[in-house]
Amino acid sequence: DPNSTCHACLRLDKYVFLLIYTGPDGEKAWPKKYPFCGGVFQSPIDFHKDILQYDSNLLPLEFIGYNVSSTDQFTLINNGHSVKMYLLPSMYIRNLPFEYTASQLHLHWGNRNKSEGSEHTVSGKHFAAELHIVHYNSEKYPDVTAAMDKADGLAVLAILLEIGSFNPSYEKIFRHFRNVKYKDQMVRVPGFNIRELLPDRLDEYYRYEGSLTTPPCYPSVLWTVFRHPVKISHEQLLALETAMYCTESDDPEPLEMVNNFRNVQEFHERLVFISFREGELYECFYAKKQCTVTCIFKRKSRLYKNDWPSSKLSN
Ligand SMILES: *[C@@H]1O[C@H](CO)[C@@H](O)[C@H](O)[C@H]1NC(C)=O
Ligand SMILES: *[C@@H]1O[C@H](CO)[C@@H](O)[C@H](O)[C@H]1NC(C)=O
């Protein structure tokens, strides 16, 4: 199949557990074996104006235990379709309907010729790559396996990556890629502050109910996709795009691990809630008596109004 020659992970017969994104056994065929992949609430999606709705109740998340001491260690592993780092059970997030404990993080990316490997897109635009930090609902479930098929089981943070300056925090993971070149290889990574992988602004994000982006595609994920991308250098992105293989080290036909992103899914009659106002700030009024602030936003020459109690405003 000439359309699939440069894509990894095509030999379903040999590696039944390999994830396949393109060719005859590609993502369009996932539902045959994994019915949820053809079902409702699927991810990723494209964020475009028609489906976005501002929600003033969306607070910034709080990250507890994210600053991991360098004497602790994470395990980084090549699982044959991504590079995954197991996190510590002492890490969790607050300000969601439940407390969610960290499980692992992993990445999705494109290839050296087409650095458009993010899963979520914004107005149809791909970013270079995407980091997912997976958490499970530890108030209701004992572990991630028990949680992953439950409607309120998972919360995933997504960070869009774009090319910019060198990122020393991502390098704390990326410098170990040469030790996880092949499937099933693993390496220890000294602890560091996982908060450094997130964008500076944590208050602006997209929030919606969706699914795992890999089979079995359970519709169990409360997504938080940060609005502001994080920069990594061109060299760092190239390292991500070229460092790893889906195959084991002794495989005579190595397959490059590239293009491990799922295409955006249908999103009819659903909404994405956003914690930020789209459009330009037009003007604000402070009503002293009621102690509220009203701001007018201008978008596509239409005006939108929003009120806040001034106690909720910080600056
Ligand atoms: C990138 O392009 C080169 C030259 O066209 C080609 O040989 C190579 O297979 C491509 N690599 C990937 C990963 O698509
Ligand atoms: C993270 O922890 C280290 C010590 O383990 C400390 O030096 C550093 O200031 C902490 N960083 C933050 C942002 O709290």
Side-chain angles (χ1 to χ4, degrees):
D1 178 357
N3 292 326
S4 57
T5 45
C6 66
H7 298 287
C9 317
L10 284 169
R11 287 177 295 163
L12 185 60
D13 49 348
K14 188 169 170 200
Y15 299 97
V16 285
F17 38 79
L18 278 190
L19 267 192
I20 296 175
Y21 287 87
T22 57
D25 294 317
E27 61 178 281
K28 286 207 178 65
W30 289 356
K32 273 190 259 168
K33 218 172 139 203
Y34 305 98
F36 284 108
C37 298
V40 293
F41 292 112
Q42 290 299 291
S43 295
I45 57 167
D46 177 53
F47 301 125
H48 51 274
K49 291 221 159 80
D50 304 342
I51 59 166
L52 304 182
Q53 181 166 302
Y54 175 69
D55 181 350
S56 63
N57 295 314
L58 294 178
L59 300 172
L61 298 178
E62 267 186 67
F63 301 90
I64 321 288
Y66 260 51
N67 190 6
V68 175
S69 156
S70 58
T71 55
D72 285 326
Q73 290 183 321
F74 303 116
T75 300
L76 187 72
I77 179 168
N78 174 335
N79 65 2
H81 56 86
S82 185
V83 60
K84 171 157 100 173
M85 191 168 89
Y86 289 102
L87 300 172
L88 303 185
S90 47
M91 299 171 55
Y92 62 97
I93 43 182
R94 271 206 298 239
N95 268 348
L96 286 173
F98 299 95
E99 212 163 86
Y100 288 84
T101 295
S103 168
Q104 45 100 350
L105 62 76
H106 62 266
L107 291 130
H108 298 270
W109 61 90
N111 70 71
R112 76 193 84 175
N113 299 334
K114 200 163 183 240
S115 296
E116 297 179 4
S118 73
E119 296 211 297
H120 290 94
T121 57
V122 178
S123 302
K125 176 182 172 288
H126 270 280
F127 288 78
E130 188 168 326
L131 173 76
H132 289 162
I133 311 182
V134 179
H135 302 71
Y136 72 95
N137 180 341
S138 46
E139 270 185 51
K140 288 182 73 170
Y141 308 107
D143 53 49
V144 69
T145 312
M148 69 189 286
D149 61 348
K150 309 300 189 301
D152 56 3
L154 302 179
V156 181
L157 311 179
I159 295 100
L160 301 164
L161 301 181
E162 66 179 10
I163 296 178
S165 49
F166 176 80
N167 190 316
S169 301
Y170 277 75
E171 196 62 18
K172 292 173 187 176
I173 300 174
F174 287 19
R175 69 163 169 249
H176 299 280
F177 283 165
R178 62 194 145 85
N179 300 115
V180 290
K181 219 170 156 57
Y182 298 104
K183 183 171 182 292
D184 295 335
Q185 290 183 333
M186 60 176 87
V187 66
R188 306 269 178 219
V189 174
F192 64 96
N193 192 353
I194 297 295
R195 165 69 182 85
E196 294 169 10
L197 302 175
L198 307 179
D200 291 337
R201 291 201 61 167
L202 298 173
D203 58 326
E204 299 200 333
Y205 56 81
Y206 304 89
R207 165 68 51 72
Y208 77 101
E209 289 178 22
S211 75
L212 301 176
T213 64
T214 52
C217 307
Y218 295 131
S220 58
V221 179
L222 187 59
W223 281 95
T224 300
V225 181
F226 291 103
R227 182 189 195 191
H228 299 280
V230 168
K231 290 181 169 43
I232 60 173
S233 70
H234 183 259
E235 289 69 28
Q236 288 180 301
L237 182 64
L238 192 63
L240 178 63
E241 289 164 347
T242 57
M244 284 161 291
Y245 292 86
C246 302
T247 41
E248 289 171 21
S249 58
D250 58 355
D251 198 299
E253 297 172 65
L255 294 170
E256 286 189 290
M257 191 184 285
V258 293
N259 300 335
N260 57 359
F261 62 93
R262 187 187 196 191
N263 284 309
V264 293
Q265 304 294 301
E266 300 273 351
F267 196 73
H268 16 228
E269 304 188 10
R270 284 195 281 158
L271 284 176
V272 171
F273 297 98
I274 53 177
S275 67
F276 54 92
R277 271 288 183 180
E278 279 262 278
E280 271 175 87
L281 189 59
Y282 189 64
E283 59 185 339
C284 291
F285 311 94
Y286 175 49
K288 209 169 177 181
K289 239 188 193 151
Q290 295 92 330
C291 203
T292 59
V293 171
T294 299
C295 290
I296 311 286
F297 294 85
K298 187 174 168 183
R299 189 171 103 204
K300 281 189 182 165
S301 68
R302 278 160 69 189
L303 295 178
Y304 299 81
K305 183 165 106 41
N306 200 69
D307 300 309
W308 292 274
S310 61
S311 58
K312 274 182 90 171
L313 298 171
S314 50
N315 36 41

